[in-house]
């Protein structure tokens, strides 16, 4: 597998080298490569949170239907246009977007997520990608080593992204626009609300683009259950709403995404 030495030791910050079995630094800190091919670089003081197994499995099933193709294609188009050599997917989940980029771009890709369950699935789908269990707020990466960071539906670590990006390099953020999944929310909540649209403090970056893409898709009962389970609504919605959703055979749902492209100054 192609690699460059941009990983840094989570214990001491020195450069990490690797052989077939493990990653190691000059100070003799070792990190075994799991049999699935990923490495866990979370230090023991960082609690391995991230999405639980149920959410990860639901997302894996939902993505099999390619319902978010519109976003996948947009991310791929922008990535090709920017022609990065080194990409970081910060919070890659089970790698729906990462795999698309790995299949269609020649870049070296490093994908991080706190959830081991997600990383295991992702690594199987795109073996060329370096998959690493780590916290996006403390990435085990050398400063100014990356050409493009992707942050897709994931907590955004602006300062950490700024640190790891080369000068003039890019951050592409994608997340929900105000009416994303509105019809599903109207089904499960008595008083559904539009997603709040927040402005990001992008000190140290220039914002180059800020736009939305949207479409209406038709979801089956299984799709709806998976989609619901992979969103935060699963924790907050009333049980009556969940029952209504589980009894719905088919629903037309708006998917609406906001994309923001930043350039490091
Ligand atoms: C909604 S999912 C999005 C995954 C993927 N980008 C996608 O769009 O399919 C959010 C992901 O962020 C991960 N995550 C949450 N907080 C994190 C953190 N601090 N560091 C790394 N990953 C984190 C979760 O484990 C989960 O896989
Ligand atoms: Zn070390």
């Amino acid at each position: 597998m192609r690699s460059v030495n941009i990983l840094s030791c989570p214990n001491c910050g020195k450069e990490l080298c690797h052989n077939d079995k493990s990653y190691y630094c000059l100070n003799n800190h070792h990190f075994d490569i799991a049999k699935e091919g990923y490495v866990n670089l979370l230090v023991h003081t960082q609690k391995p949170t991230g999405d639980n197994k149920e959410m990860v499995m639901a997302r894996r099933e939902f993505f099999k239907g390619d319902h978010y193709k519109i976003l996948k294609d947009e991310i791929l188009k922008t990535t090709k246009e920017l022609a990065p050599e080194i990409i970081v997917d910060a919070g890659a989940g089970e790698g729906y977007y990462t795999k698309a980029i790995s299949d269609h771009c020649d870049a070296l890709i490093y994908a991080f997520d706190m959830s081991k369950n997600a990383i295991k699935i992702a690594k199987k789908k795109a073996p060329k990608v370096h998959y690493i269990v780590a916290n996006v707020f403390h990435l085990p990466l050398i400063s100014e080593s990356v050409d493009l960071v992707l942050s897709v539906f994931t907590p955004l670590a602006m300062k950490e992204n700024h640190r790891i990006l080369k000068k003039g390099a890019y951050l592409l953020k994608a997340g929900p626009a105000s009416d994303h999944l509105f019809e599903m929310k109207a089904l499960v909540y008595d008083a559904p609300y539009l997603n709040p649209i927040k402005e990001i403090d992008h000190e140290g970056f220039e914002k180059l683009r800020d736009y939305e893409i949207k479409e209406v898709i038709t979801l089956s009962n299984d799709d709806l259950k998976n989609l619901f389970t992979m969103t935060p609504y699963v924790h907050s919605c009333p049980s009556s709403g969940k029952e209504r959703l589980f009894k719905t055979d088919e629903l037309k749902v708006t998917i609406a995404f906001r994309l923001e492209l930043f350039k490091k100054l």
Side-chain angles (χ1 to χ4, degrees):
M1 190 160 60
R2 269 195 314 146
S3 68
V4 286
N5 281 4
I6 63 165
L7 288 174
S8 60
C9 174
N11 288 330
C12 69
K14 289 255 184 284
E15 191 180 294
L16 277 185
C17 303
H18 71 97
N19 55 32
D20 289 348
K21 292 211 167 88
S22 67
Y23 282 79
Y24 54 91
C25 74
L26 275 176
N27 287 330
N28 232 2
H29 297 124
H30 280 255
F31 306 90
D32 289 342
I33 298 174
K35 64 177 188 312
E36 293 89 349
Y38 69 89
V39 61
N40 184 350
L41 295 182
L42 269 184
V43 288
H44 56 271
T45 48
Q46 296 173 324
K47 228 175 131 228
T49 52
D51 283 5
N52 63 34
K53 200 163 185 175
E54 199 191 3
M55 290 173 96
V56 169
M57 291 307 172
R59 193 171 307 109
R60 181 182 72 167
E61 288 309 308
F62 181 76
F63 278 138
K64 281 184 184 166
D66 221 10
H67 304 294
Y68 284 6
K69 183 173 186 304
I70 182 178
L71 179 58
K72 184 178 75 178
D73 289 347
E74 190 65 27
I75 290 173
L76 192 54
K77 190 178 87 183
T78 306
T79 301
K80 283 182 173 171
E81 182 194 335
L82 300 173
E85 286 176 15
I86 299 181
I87 299 175
V88 160
D89 192 348
E94 49 299 298
Y96 174 67
Y97 305 101
T98 333
K99 176 179 164 45
I101 293 168
S102 169
D103 286 348
H104 295 99
C105 298
D106 197 31
L108 269 174
I109 307 170
Y110 290 79
F112 299 86
D113 202 286
M114 277 256 224
S115 162
K116 236 189 238 182
N117 291 316
I119 287 282
K120 282 183 192 169
I121 294 173
K123 180 70 187 173
K124 260 194 207 151
K125 287 200 285 198
K128 276 193 300 182
V129 174
H130 295 268
Y131 273 107
I132 295 139
V133 180
N135 183 347
V136 297
F137 289 90
H138 302 281
L139 287 168
L141 284 166
I142 287 168
S143 299
E144 309 211 331
S145 56
V146 176
D147 299 301
L148 171 65
V149 173
L150 300 173
S151 177
V152 183
F153 276 86
T154 298
L156 180 66
M158 275 315 246
K159 281 203 176 128
E160 186 63 341
N161 293 332
H162 191 272
R163 181 186 70 79
I164 63 168
L165 281 167
K166 295 174 188 167
K167 196 164 183 267
Y170 300 96
L171 162 65
L172 179 60
K173 178 190 185 304
S178 59
D179 48 350
H180 183 55
L181 306 184
F182 189 78
E183 297 83 351
M184 187 176 86
K185 291 197 299 192
L187 187 66
V188 298
Y189 293 109
D190 295 332
Y193 58 90
L194 291 172
N195 300 316
I197 294 301
K198 294 182 195 135
E199 286 317 309
I200 300 163
D201 175 6
H202 58 275
E203 197 187 331
F205 289 93
E206 179 190 0
K207 192 189 251 197
L208 301 180
R209 294 178 201 167
D210 186 349
Y211 63 104
E212 294 184 6
I213 52 174
K214 70 164 84 177
E215 142 178 305
V216 176
I217 58 173
T218 304
L219 296 177
S220 69
N221 176 267
D222 277 348
D223 294 331
L224 278 172
K225 284 186 203 159
N226 287 326
L227 179 58
F228 177 70
T229 308
M230 71 190 229
T231 64
Y233 312 131
V234 70
H235 303 300
S236 61
C237 113
S239 55
S240 56
K242 187 174 169 182
E243 273 170 34
R244 264 197 306 279
L245 179 124
F246 274 57
K247 281 188 199 148
T248 301
D249 290 332
E250 200 177 87
L251 189 70
K252 286 199 187 316
V253 178
T254 302
I255 53 170
F257 307 103
R258 180 181 183 197
L259 290 110
E260 290 163 273
L261 180 65
F262 301 93
K263 183 176 186 169
K264 178 173 165 175
L265 294 169

